Amino acid sequence: MTSGELRGVLDLGRRRSIGYRPGFSLIETDETAWGGRPGKRISAVAEAPASWRLGPVAAIRALQSPLAVEDDGILHVSGSLVRVLRVTLDAAVATVTLEGPAHRIIFESGGRVTSLELEPTEVKPAELEWDRLPKEPLW
């Protein structure tokens, strides 16, 4: 895990996400994000508007209204066949890579790059504590 990597769970059904990295945790809903020291209740943390720079819920929402989509086709990447899509959004360009059950979305805007990797997990979102920033890795 790199210092900037947040590992967590995306609950598409309820449009929310929760993530952890040492020293920082994040909970995001469709419109709002709370981030801060792990273990704090979200009622004690300043909220911010959800943004693709912060969490995956806003990232997925941004992909639902693209200005343009270009299919680069199927390419060899690190020994695997993957489909690569380039998506132009309002404030960013996203590259979506589809490879088996894992998907990678890379957002680029104003020199800033944010990467989102989606892969299956056995974690059940309903069993997580959504009113407190996680204190430890979720999986």
Side-chain angles (χ1 to χ4, degrees):
M1 177 183 307
T2 64
S3 63
E5 181 179 314
L6 196 68
R7 190 171 185 113
V9 174
L10 174 62
D11 180 358
L12 288 173
R14 304 252 339 246
R15 299 179 69 103
R16 61 188 181 172
S17 69
I18 187 169
Y20 168 86
R21 76 169 183 239
F24 182 80
S25 291
L26 176 75
I27 292 178
E28 177 196 26
T29 65
D30 200 28
E31 300 294 327
T32 308
W34 298 267
R37 195 174 73 234
K40 291 188 89 169
R41 292 207 170 275
I42 63 170
S43 60
V45 177
E47 61 182 58
S51 162
W52 60 265
R53 288 183 175 95
L54 286 174
V57 175
I60 299 297
R61 188 177 64 244
L63 289 172
Q64 292 175 343
S65 301
L67 299 176
V69 177
E70 183 179 329
D71 187 344
D72 286 351
I74 298 175
L75 307 173
H76 275 92
V77 177
S78 301
S80 298
L81 292 175
V82 299
R83 177 169 296 281
V84 178
L85 306 171
R86 298 202 190 284
V87 182
T88 303
L89 307 169
D90 250 352
V93 174
T95 302
V96 180
T97 304
L98 309 174
E99 179 181 1
H103 306 303
R104 178 176 295 133
I105 303 169
I106 300 171
F107 291 88
E108 300 174 41
S109 177
R112 182 177 175 152
V113 177
T114 301
S115 177
L116 173 64
E117 294 184 27
L118 305 173
E119 57 189 79
T121 177
E122 298 297 320
V123 176
K124 294 178 176 47
E127 296 175 359
L128 298 174
E129 191 174 3
W130 290 92
D131 63 343
R132 181 183 298 274
L133 297 173
K135 296 183 279 189
E136 57 191 24
L138 302 165
W139 57 285

